[in-house]
Amino acid sequence: MYGLRHRAPNGTGLPFHVLVVGNAVSSYGTYLNLVALNLYVLQTTGTALSVGLFLLLRIASSFLSGFVSGRLVTRFDRIRLMIAGDLCQALALLGFLAAPHPARSVLLYVLAVVMGGCSTMTGVARRSSVPDLVGQDLRVRANGLLVTGRSLAMVLGFASAGLVVAEAGYTAAFLVDAATFLVSAAALIVLAASGTTAPPGTRRAPRGRAAAGAPDRPDEAPEKPDHPGEPSRPIPIAVWRYAPVVLCLITVRAVDNMGSASHQVGLPVYAEQIAPGDPAAFVGRFYAVWAVGALLAHQLVSRVPAVARWAGDGPSGSRPGGERAFAIGTCLMSAFFILAFADLPLLALLPVAAAAGLADGFTEIVYHSRLQALPEWERGRALGFAAMAETAALGTGTVLCASLLDRFAPFTVVAAAHGTAIALALLLLLLLTTVPSLTSGADAPDAPDAPDAPEDTARPQRAAGGRTPAT
């Protein structure tokens, strides 16, 4: 079952809104602990090296989790994986607080591994579950809701972290953090109990000629049973062989993440230069206006049909698209971030920050919607691989840009990083224009299972892009 049983005719349905709320609450906890934990490490150890080791472990566990998560979300129930991820993070924080103070210096690094790994697994499972909950035809609008919630959570998390730590202390901050993950887990338990998600057994590849051992489409390798007596399933070829454009999108997104690292690291330095009296207020205003732009992105894709179609929205069974929108959105986003570091007056900076948020939110919606359009048995692995690439790029970009800021001005560093993303996005546009085969392949959305249908009837159903009927 790929659609909701009780979905409104033109909406994403209440169960998906439960997922959106849970995601927003847990994202707030994630952004809160990004600040609070780093400050705690610095205060308790007194060395920047310890902070660097903590971040390195968190990034490394997140990277490795992307590799494992792609396989987990293909084999196991995704809602339960999200519940497990949220509960593990909450229990890790509570266990850390319950431990004696001498042991916390070691448990900090265990906490970094748990938080990094579980956060990535939960993210991959959440993005993979969107088509299961709302169907392929509403995935663009659904991703807009997720981006909206995450953007608000990021602004609130970063803005409140310092205040919570200063006014209530680290223990209160960690308790609030653990509570957000428990609330998210509770919301997901309600979603699982509603019976609107597809059970693991329904997430399998379509049958047809492949059942006899012959590939049904170029993206399918001959089937091989996992165990004697079990139905055979196709073994998908690597994602870049399956849909070459997907690898191009992931590559551009990874380089764009390096650009994101440049403005995240460079913004506090830039704020110190142009607003030395209150740099924190400058950073807060920038991200608040950025979040407004990200909110507008969802409004555009949900209320303007032409923008929705350009973003890859379309009737069930049609080719997903959105590649050109992603490339153009990346160019605009990077250009606006470069412009934001060009010593603009405040009245000019604010609309630029809003435009950067708009392009950023739009690009994220298009990117995830395109990966979610992959067939069911390939989607989880592709999203896991994408998480690995994005995490590696963000970690590398953070270290590289931080070192460059010691020698160059913030504008130079941001322009170089985002300029690279623009160049690669323009190259993608050129390839999309000159190499039509780049977007060819198995681009149809998930097809229904037809266990009892003969071969000559099962294959046209797949071509039509139908979905398994709700039961």
Side-chain angles (χ1 to χ4, degrees):
M1 178 185 70
Y2 294 99
L4 289 172
R5 290 175 182 157
H6 306 295
R7 189 177 69 200
N10 296 312
T12 50
L14 179 60
F16 183 76
H17 284 80
V18 172
L19 179 66
V20 171
V21 172
N23 175 51
V25 173
S26 65
S27 294
Y28 170 77
T30 298
Y31 291 116
L32 175 65
N33 75 50
L34 277 175
V35 177
L37 280 173
N38 290 345
L39 291 174
Y40 182 82
V41 173
L42 182 60
Q43 179 174 314
T44 55
T45 64
T47 64
L49 180 62
S50 297
V51 178
L53 179 59
F54 180 86
L55 290 174
L56 178 63
L57 285 173
R58 185 164 185 159
I59 292 172
S61 65
S62 180
F63 175 82
L64 294 175
S65 178
F67 178 79
V68 177
S69 299
R71 287 152 177 77
L72 289 177
V73 301
T74 303
R75 293 176 178 271
F76 301 102
D77 184 270
R78 291 160 183 168
I79 301 298
R80 292 181 181 178
L81 287 174
M82 286 187 275
I83 294 171
D86 283 336
L87 290 179
C88 283
Q89 292 181 85
L91 292 176
L93 284 164
L94 294 175
F96 175 78
L97 290 175
H101 285 277
R104 290 186 181 182
S105 58
V106 176
L107 290 177
L108 267 175
Y109 302 106
V110 177
L111 190 60
V113 173
V114 173
M115 302 301 283
C118 290
S119 178
T120 297
M121 182 191 71
T122 303
V124 172
R126 182 182 298 112
R127 289 189 286 270
S128 299
S129 67
V130 168
D132 294 340
L133 289 169
V134 302
Q136 287 287 353
D137 53 336
L138 288 177
R139 71 186 190 284
V140 174
R141 185 178 303 177
N143 283 315
L145 288 172
L146 287 173
V147 169
T148 297
R150 185 194 61 82
S151 300
L152 290 174
M154 189 192 79
V155 174
L156 292 175
F158 283 152
S160 65
L163 180 64
V164 172
V165 170
E167 297 295 329
Y170 288 106
T171 299
F174 295 154
L175 286 174
V176 170
D177 194 6
T180 63
F181 293 117
L182 291 175
V183 170
S184 176
L188 291 168
I189 290 171
V190 171
L191 177 59
S194 68
T196 55
T197 59
T202 65
R203 295 201 294 265
R204 58 181 181 266
R207 303 173 185 175
R209 280 197 307 141
D216 210 24
R217 293 196 304 260
D219 59 290
E220 292 179 4
E223 291 189 346
K224 178 181 178 181
D226 294 331
H227 300 286
E230 285 191 0
S232 296
R233 300 181 183 184
I235 303 174
I237 299 175
V239 64
W240 45 89
R241 293 275 307 276
Y242 169 75
V245 71
V246 171
L247 181 62
C248 295
L249 296 180
I250 293 174
T251 302
V252 173
R253 185 68 175 179
V255 175
D256 172 59
N257 265 26
M258 295 187 71
S260 297
S262 71
H263 69 249
Q264 290 173 13
V265 175
L267 188 59
V269 179
Y270 182 63
E272 286 280 1
Q273 294 177 359
I274 67 171
D278 196 357
F282 175 87
V283 174
R285 283 194 296 268
F286 182 91
Y287 277 122
V289 176
W290 171 90
V292 172
L295 299 180
L296 291 176
H298 167 60
Q299 297 302 315
L300 280 177
V301 298
S302 62
R303 298 181 183 276
V304 183
V307 175
R309 287 192 298 270
W310 191 49
D313 198 7
S316 182
S318 63
R319 208 193 75 78
E323 297 91 356
R324 287 177 174 80
F326 169 77
I328 293 173
T330 300
C331 290
L332 291 174
M333 173 185 61
S334 295
F336 284 126
F337 272 118
I338 293 173
L339 190 59
F341 283 78
D343 292 328
L344 297 175
L346 182 61
L347 291 180
L349 175 64
L350 294 181
V352 168
L358 174 61
D360 197 354
F362 175 77
T363 304
E364 183 175 354
I365 293 169
V366 175
Y367 174 70
H368 288 139
S369 298
R370 181 59 183 89
L371 295 188
Q372 289 162 355
L374 290 170
E376 178 67 24
W377 62 94
E378 191 65 35
R379 186 193 312 150
R381 295 186 180 185
L383 287 167
F385 176 73
M388 290 175 60
E390 293 166 34
T391 301
L394 184 62
T396 303
T398 299
V399 174
L400 180 61
C401 293
S403 62
L404 290 175
L405 283 169
D406 289 335
R407 300 183 179 183
F408 302 100
F411 175 80
T412 304
V413 175
V414 171
H418 276 293
T420 304
I422 291 175
L424 204 58
L426 290 175
L427 177 60
L428 174 60
L429 273 176
L430 179 63
L431 290 175
L432 290 171
T433 303
T434 60
V435 187
S437 61
L438 187 66
T439 56
S440 65
D443 286 317
D446 291 329
D449 289 328
D452 300 322
E455 176 185 344
D456 58 345
T457 59
R459 293 186 64 189
Q461 287 178 341
R462 280 194 298 273
R467 295 200 303 273
T468 304
T471 55

